[in-house]
Amino acid sequence: MASAINPLLQRNDIWLGKQWQQGAVGIATGFAALDKQLAGQGWPQVGVVELIGDTLGVAALLQPLLNRQQQPDRWQLCVAPPAAPNGAGWAQAGIDLSRLLWVDTPCRKEQLWSIEHSLSSGRCSVVLAWLTELSAGEARRLQLAAQQGQCLLLLHLPKAALAQAHGVSLRLQVTPSPQGCVVQLLKQRGGWPQAPLALPLPGRPDPSSDPSSGAAAVVAGPWLAQAQ
């Protein structure tokens, strides 16, 4: 029996109960309620974070992380975003544009190549990428590349990806809401899934205020065309 179980324990997509809260200290998300749900009390420092669902309108969820991960000798990289990056929006969010790169290619092979080599290069602190699909084998390669280059990948995937099991550090489902977004932690290394969490985001109307004041608000995001 032991010989049959041992190969399962070596898999990257199976966590042991004793691993709970034993991982490295995470990077604070900027949202105390979300930090409490994460095993490292924040985003993983290294690895792949899958953000599943329509995340175009919730850029503010990642803004504190991008600000904290700015380093003078490393890059922040965007691969195949759904709309052209808005330099003014990024600068307004406090991002140093001189250390930000944008890779724009419709070719899926080139997207995967750019992501993997950026992660493993050791020259990037954060990579943001958008893919329409991802196999278990590809997820494994990206996770290993991130570990090799000590980099964090924030990978946006459609809801169809929920049907597949990926051996990554963290998997979240993100759903925009009128006041911000709802985050459901589906899987995390060193921890457990969690119940859906409603997060208010900057720039969204405050439900306790006059609703008419928020209805006309304009949110300046980091994308030139942003779905709200």
Side-chain angles (χ1 to χ4, degrees):
M1 177 65 70
S3 61
I5 293 177
N6 285 336
L8 293 177
L9 298 181
Q10 303 304 314
R11 289 180 51 155
N12 200 34
D13 55 351
I14 294 179
W15 319 131
L16 301 178
K18 67 180 182 180
Q19 291 176 313
W20 168 251
Q21 298 287 4
Q22 291 184 0
V25 176
I27 305 166
T29 66
F31 304 92
L34 180 57
D35 287 342
K36 290 180 180 179
Q37 288 198 351
L38 296 170
Q41 301 296 295
W43 301 111
Q45 295 190 28
V46 171
V48 178
V49 174
E50 290 186 345
L51 303 165
I52 300 176
D54 180 10
T55 58
L56 256 183
V58 294
L61 175 64
L62 304 179
Q63 181 179 326
L65 170 66
L66 297 177
N67 282 40
R68 288 188 173 95
Q69 287 299 92
Q70 293 187 95
Q71 301 175 21
D73 59 343
R74 302 186 91 183
W75 299 90
Q76 295 191 347
L77 183 70
C78 290
V79 179
N86 179 1
W90 283 94
Q92 184 179 15
I95 303 301
D96 182 3
L97 300 184
S98 68
R99 305 303 299 176
L100 177 67
L101 296 175
W102 170 28
V103 176
D104 183 28
T105 173
C107 176
R108 187 173 181 278
K109 287 185 178 181
E110 292 178 354
Q111 292 170 357
L112 284 168
W113 186 94
S114 300
I115 297 168
E116 182 176 355
H117 285 265
S118 298
L119 291 173
S120 63
S121 69
R123 301 295 296 165
C124 295
S125 61
V126 175
V127 176
L128 292 89
W130 286 256
L131 293 174
T132 57
E133 59 179 315
L134 186 71
S135 69
E138 291 165 345
R140 171 72 173 169
R141 287 183 60 125
L142 295 181
Q143 177 73 20
L144 292 175
Q147 293 171 349
Q148 178 181 341
Q150 292 295 289
C151 185
L152 180 62
L153 170 62
L154 302 171
L155 181 59
H156 297 74
L157 292 168
K159 288 184 179 180
L162 292 172
Q164 291 185 309
H166 294 161
V168 297
S169 299
L170 179 62
R171 178 175 250 207
L172 303 174
Q173 184 172 0
V174 183
T175 305
S177 69
Q179 286 77 44
C181 66
V182 176
V183 176
Q184 183 171 8
L185 199 162
L186 303 175
K187 185 178 74 172
Q188 60 177 327
R189 174 172 292 184
W192 307 102
Q194 300 288 337
L197 174 66
L199 291 177
L201 296 178
R204 296 285 186 169
D206 184 348
S208 64
S209 65
D210 181 3
S212 62
S213 64
V218 176
V219 179
W223 314 111
L224 288 176
Q226 179 170 332
Q228 297 297 335

